[in-house]
Amino acid sequence: MDADYDIFETVAVIRDFWLVDAESYQRKYCTSHGQALAPGYYVVNWPEHIRARRFNDHAAFHGPFKLRKEAQEALAWMHKERELVLTRSAEISSVATLNVTPLEVKKADSQRLHLLKPQKLCKAVAA
């Protein structure tokens, strides 16, 4: 059974290539670099266009965080940033003189969130 994951999820990596998802199921994962993640809590996010959200090379793992609470704060921060991106995309779409489509802006901003470095994310959560 596949879970219906949100665009962001908090997971706990428990050992090499195994995690516990937000619904407390143990799942296998893989990474784009083929290496196991350090044990701890992670915020996982997927690009907007990915509908089948599995813990594979499409997933970006942000962490590790020592405490679940830290990962949940990072998740809340990422949701807030996403809302700002969506708001900005909507504002840009109302300007007819741009040669860039709102979808292109949304995709670029989604990639920016997807590529956040864990160090930047930790600093943003601490702020």
Side-chain angles (χ1 to χ4, degrees):
M1 178 183 118
D2 284 335
D4 185 23
Y5 298 108
D6 192 5
I7 193 166
F8 302 105
E9 291 294 332
T10 303
V11 300
V13 170
I14 54 175
R15 64 180 187 267
D16 287 358
F17 303 105
W18 284 94
L19 58 78
V20 176
D21 70 7
E23 296 176 342
S24 300
Y25 289 100
Q26 284 190 24
R27 306 240 185 237
K28 283 188 167 190
Y29 74 87
C30 64
T31 59
S32 59
H33 52 74
Q35 297 178 357
L37 299 169
Y41 296 96
Y42 290 79
V43 176
V44 183
N45 78 293
W46 293 268
E48 292 277 342
H49 66 280
I50 300 296
R51 295 292 170 230
R53 296 187 174 131
R54 296 188 178 91
F55 300 104
N56 56 21
D57 58 347
H58 293 294
F61 292 86
H62 304 280
F65 295 95
K66 190 173 183 179
L67 303 172
R68 177 180 294 278
K69 181 181 177 185
E70 293 172 334
Q72 289 170 331
E73 289 171 355
L75 180 132
W77 178 83
M78 291 177 83
H79 269 296
K80 183 177 153 186
E81 286 295 307
R82 181 172 181 263
E83 288 301 316
L84 290 172
V85 165
L86 294 175
T87 301
R88 189 171 74 195
S89 296
E91 289 170 357
I92 289 174
S93 68
S94 66
V95 178
T97 59
L98 292 176
N99 291 333
V100 179
T101 68
L103 183 59
E104 291 171 323
V105 172
K106 185 176 176 182
K107 185 175 179 180
D109 285 339
S110 176
Q111 287 174 337
R112 183 180 63 83
L113 281 176
H114 186 73
L115 297 174
L116 278 175
K117 299 287 184 212
Q119 298 84 0
K120 280 188 168 182
L121 185 59
C122 293
K123 289 178 186 174
V125 169

